[in-house]
């Protein structure tokens, strides 16, 4: 409503409504998401665009950098582990909620990053929030980059420590803040060790797509005697030659250059939860002081198994993952009751082509599958479930892992930035002088904003409406 403050999303929807009152969105309905593709329902009644709607589009609205959602190996790990462990552990880690899968995940991540230990939180955001609040308290000092994500900001607030901010990724401004604190120490005759002091930054900034200048930040940390809390939720699995994050990208190491490293497992690793790694003291302290660890139910163990498999996938050890999965499946088959031998495939027995809509829905419901759609869609869904090997050409392709997987990601990022900055591209004339890229050329998070000429003199709602129109044009164009 006019005159009432709201979120960016609310401003976007209101501006779009004002610009075109009879139209809401593009009219495209997402039927399924597979890997990097969005597939739309092909229904003429849903078309509100001036030309035929696309059947699919490239999905940029995802943080699944390494396509874990389309990995057949990781899906097999998830299903076999779910059958073994069940869904949840129904308790916090310290109160009958720890299962061997959680400990395996902590060991796997710790060894992958070369630290003394790791602690697993059940939520990605609460990992960084709880980590900051566990180490800083009232009277301590936090020097924070003003561009950090909301989870870190919540941790900063909960710590009740004294907080000073420096301009985003501005090393000169960081030095200015540190020198001002040093001058106050001299005036008050206060030792730097009289309070705990931390620098709080991200490796790859979620809200900016920029990479922190960690070498310069580490140099200042050591010069002024601070510790570093680094959130690398979007750097782990994407940056560095072997996917070990922003520290590796800069030639640095956890524990030695960043005392406390925290990150989410919900992006490149395709799991649920978060981790904090470091020395034994850093890890053990949080087992009694990390609120998200002590008071939240532990992560589903089958997803912790997926985390372990994702690490092995990044390391290029897919053969080991497959072996362990097949071993678990064979064990399950050996313990299963014997079945009567039947002739013919399940698809032939069901006679899917001859089934009525109600019969199709009953079979789909029995298998826990969606029951909405036309008869042809129901038949295809049931056929794909019964004969998955014949349904998707994506799964027949050899799955990437190790250096090949990371090289593909880095090459895709490079190609994307090259395309966006290519003045001879067919869309360049339409977008030239309208958008500028603000993210780092090596970042898998791409940020574009309106050019100064477009933003000048326009309200936030008007700027949002322009971006909405550009986004809609791209979506309708596939």
């Amino acid at each position: 409503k006019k005159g009432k403050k709201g979120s960016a999303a609310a401003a976007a929807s209101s501006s779009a409504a004002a610009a075109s009152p009879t139209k809401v969105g593009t009219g495209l309905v997402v039927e399924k998401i597979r890997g990097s593709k969005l597939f739309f329902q092909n229904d003429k009644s849903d078309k509100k665009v001036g030309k035929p709607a696309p059947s699919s589009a490239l999905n940029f609205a995802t943080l699944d950098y390494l396509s874990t959602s389309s990995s057949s190996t990781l899906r097999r790990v998830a299903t076999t582990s779910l059958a073994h462990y069940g869904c949840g552990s129904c308790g916090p880690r310290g109160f009958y909620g720890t299962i061997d899968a959680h400990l395996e995940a902590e060991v796997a991540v710790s060894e992958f990053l070369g630290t003394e230990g790791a602690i697993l939180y059940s939520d990605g955001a609460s990992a960084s929030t709880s980590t900051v609040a566990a180490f800083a308290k009232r009277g301590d000092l936090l020097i924070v980059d003003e561009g950090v994500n909301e989870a870190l900001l919540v941790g900063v607030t909960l710590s009740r420590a004294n907080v000073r901010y420096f301009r985003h990724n501005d090393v000169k401004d960081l030095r200015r803040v540190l020198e001002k604190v040093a001058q106050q120490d001299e005036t008050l005759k206060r030792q730097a060790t009289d309070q705990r002091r931390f620098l709080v930054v991200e490796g790859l900034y979620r809200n900016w797509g920029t990479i922190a200048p960690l070498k310069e930040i580490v140099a200042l940390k050591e010069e002024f005697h601070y510790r570093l809390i680094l959130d690398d939720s979007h750097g782990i699995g994407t940056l560095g030659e072997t996917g070990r994050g922003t520290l590796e990208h800069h030639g640095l190491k956890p524990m030695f250059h960043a005392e406390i490293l925290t990150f989410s497992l919900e992006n490149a690793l395709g799991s649920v939860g978060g981790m904090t790694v470091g020395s034994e003291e850093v890890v053990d302290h949080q087992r009694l002081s990390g609120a998200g660890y002590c008071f939240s139910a532990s992560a589903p163990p089958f997803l912790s198994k997926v985390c372990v498999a994702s690490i092995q996938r990044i390391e290029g050890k897919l053969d080991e993952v497959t072996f362990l999965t097949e071993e678990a499946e064979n064990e399950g088959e050996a313990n299963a009751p014997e079945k009567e031998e039947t002739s013919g495939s399940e698809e032939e027995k069901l006679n899917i082509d001859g089934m009525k809509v109600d019969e199709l829905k009953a079979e789909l419901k029995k298998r826990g599958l969606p029951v909405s759609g036309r008869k042809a869609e129901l038949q295809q869904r049931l056929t794909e479930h019964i004969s998955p090997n014949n349904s998707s050409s994506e799964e027949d392709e050899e799955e990437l892992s190790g250096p090949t997987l990371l090289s593909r990601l880095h090459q895709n990022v490079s190609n994307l930035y090259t395309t966006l900055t290519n003045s001879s591209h067919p869309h360049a004339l339409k977008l030239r002088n309208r958008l500028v890229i603000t993210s780092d050329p090596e970042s898998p998070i791409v940020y574009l904003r309106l050019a100064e000429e477009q933003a000048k003199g326009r309200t936030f709602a008007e700027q949002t409406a322009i971006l909405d129109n550009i986004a809609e044009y791209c979506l309708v164009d596939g």
Side-chain angles (χ1 to χ4, degrees):
K1 293 182 180 179
K2 283 189 175 181
K4 188 172 182 179
K5 291 183 178 180
S7 64
S13 60
S14 63
S15 63
S20 181
T22 60
K23 180 180 178 183
V24 179
T26 61
L28 298 174
V29 179
V30 177
E31 180 181 12
K32 61 182 176 181
I33 301 175
R34 178 175 292 165
S36 60
K37 287 281 189 177
L38 295 170
F39 294 91
F40 304 114
Q41 287 184 1
N42 189 14
D43 188 348
K44 292 182 179 179
S45 63
D46 284 338
K47 291 178 184 175
K48 297 181 182 179
V49 296
K51 61 179 182 178
S55 59
S56 65
L58 189 60
N59 181 18
F60 278 102
T62 175
L63 300 176
D64 183 14
Y65 305 117
L66 298 180
S67 294
T68 54
S69 61
S70 59
S71 167
S72 57
T73 301
L74 296 184
R75 283 203 299 271
R76 287 180 62 198
V77 170
T79 52
T80 54
S81 300
L82 180 61
H84 179 75
Y85 291 102
C87 185
S89 53
C90 304
R93 288 290 306 276
F95 301 92
Y96 58 82
T98 293
I99 295 178
D100 59 356
H102 301 137
L103 301 178
E104 288 177 25
E106 290 177 344
V107 171
V109 170
S110 175
E111 291 179 350
F112 176 65
L113 295 175
T115 61
E116 292 179 359
I119 180 170
L120 172 65
Y121 288 84
S122 58
D123 178 73
S126 68
S128 54
T129 297
S130 299
T131 296
V132 174
F135 288 98
K137 61 181 181 60
R138 193 188 300 274
D140 294 334
L141 177 62
L142 299 176
I143 309 295
V144 185
D145 187 302
E146 64 181 12
V148 297
N149 63 62
E150 54 275 16
L152 278 177
L153 289 175
V154 171
V156 168
T157 302
L158 291 177
S159 71
R160 300 184 180 181
N162 300 314
V163 184
R164 299 198 178 191
Y165 294 93
F166 64 95
R167 285 193 292 271
H168 174 57
N169 263 3
D170 191 332
V171 178
K172 290 183 179 179
D173 193 53
L174 173 58
R175 174 175 283 279
R176 178 190 63 81
V177 173
L178 294 175
E179 287 177 347
K180 189 173 182 179
V181 172
Q183 291 173 1
Q184 291 179 342
D185 288 343
E186 291 182 8
T187 303
L188 299 174
K189 296 181 179 180
R190 179 178 58 193
Q191 297 293 325
T193 55
D194 287 348
Q195 60 181 180
R196 285 175 288 199
R197 295 179 173 181
F198 298 92
L199 302 182
V200 182
V201 301
E202 287 183 69
L204 172 57
Y205 283 85
R206 166 67 179 83
N207 295 333
W208 297 78
T210 50
I211 299 174
L214 286 183
K215 282 189 175 180
E216 293 85 347
I217 291 174
V218 168
L220 289 174
K221 168 188 83 80
E222 294 173 350
E223 179 182 346
F224 289 91
H225 308 293
Y226 282 68
R227 295 183 180 94
L228 177 60
I229 298 177
L230 175 65
D231 184 341
D232 208 15
S233 295
H234 298 275
I236 297 294
T238 64
L239 295 179
E241 186 177 348
T242 61
R244 286 171 168 81
T246 314
L247 286 169
E248 183 187 45
H249 179 75
H250 289 287
L252 305 174
K253 293 183 179 181
M255 290 200 309
F256 301 100
H257 301 107
E259 287 79 5
I260 303 171
L261 173 61
T262 182
F263 55 92
S264 171
L265 305 177
E266 298 164 6
N267 302 319
L269 298 180
S271 183
V272 165
M275 284 270 191
T276 299
V277 300
S279 64
E280 288 184 7
E281 291 81 2
V282 165
V283 170
D284 291 343
H285 175 72
Q286 292 175 80
R287 297 200 188 275
L288 291 177
S289 301
Y293 181 91
C294 295
F295 303 112
S296 295
S298 57
F302 77 96
L303 289 172
S304 296
K305 280 287 191 180
V306 171
C307 171
V308 175
S310 291
I311 293 293
Q312 293 173 315
R313 180 170 174 247
I314 293 174
E315 291 180 307
K317 299 177 180 177
L318 267 185
D319 292 341
E320 295 182 19
V321 177
T322 304
F323 171 77
L324 293 173
T325 305
E326 289 176 350
E327 188 178 47
E329 288 176 342
N330 294 336
E331 183 181 347
E333 290 174 2
N335 295 331
E338 294 185 5
K339 295 181 180 179
E340 296 182 7
E341 292 186 5
T342 57
S343 59
S345 67
E346 189 176 359
E347 186 175 352
E348 292 173 348
K349 289 197 308 175
L350 285 175
N351 187 20
I352 294 176
D353 292 336
M355 296 175 70
K356 297 180 180 179
V357 172
D358 291 341
E359 294 172 332
L360 288 167
K361 289 185 176 180
E363 286 294 333
L364 289 167
K365 187 175 183 180
K366 188 189 303 182
R367 290 166 167 77
L369 299 173
V371 295
S372 60
R374 299 184 190 81
K375 182 177 180 179
E377 294 171 343
L378 300 178
Q379 289 174 330
Q380 181 183 0
R381 194 175 299 148
L382 186 56
T383 302
E384 289 181 355
H385 180 72
I386 294 174
S387 306
N389 294 332
N390 301 326
S391 63
S392 173
S393 60
E394 290 183 15
E395 294 185 10
D396 294 336
E397 298 177 3
E398 183 179 354
E399 188 168 339
L400 300 179
S401 66
T404 309
L405 175 67
L406 296 167
S407 176
R408 174 71 63 85
L409 171 66
H410 297 158
Q411 187 61 50
N412 286 344
V413 171
S414 175
N415 291 344
L416 177 58
Y417 279 93
T418 301
T419 302
L420 288 172
T421 55
N422 181 8
S423 59
S424 63
H425 192 276
H427 294 303
L429 292 176
K430 297 176 181 178
L431 299 180
R432 189 176 62 187
N433 300 326
R434 299 194 72 188
L435 294 174
V436 293
I437 304 172
T438 59
S439 48
D440 191 283
E442 295 180 283
S443 165
I445 304 177
V446 183
Y447 269 86
L448 301 100
R449 65 171 174 79
L450 286 180
E452 294 296 334
E453 297 79 7
Q454 292 288 320
K456 189 175 180 180
R458 286 191 166 97
T459 64
F460 176 79
E462 290 171 337
Q463 294 180 41
T464 302
I466 295 174
L467 291 171
D468 281 348
N469 290 334
I470 294 174
E472 181 179 333
Y473 172 84
C474 294
L475 177 62
V476 172
D477 205 52

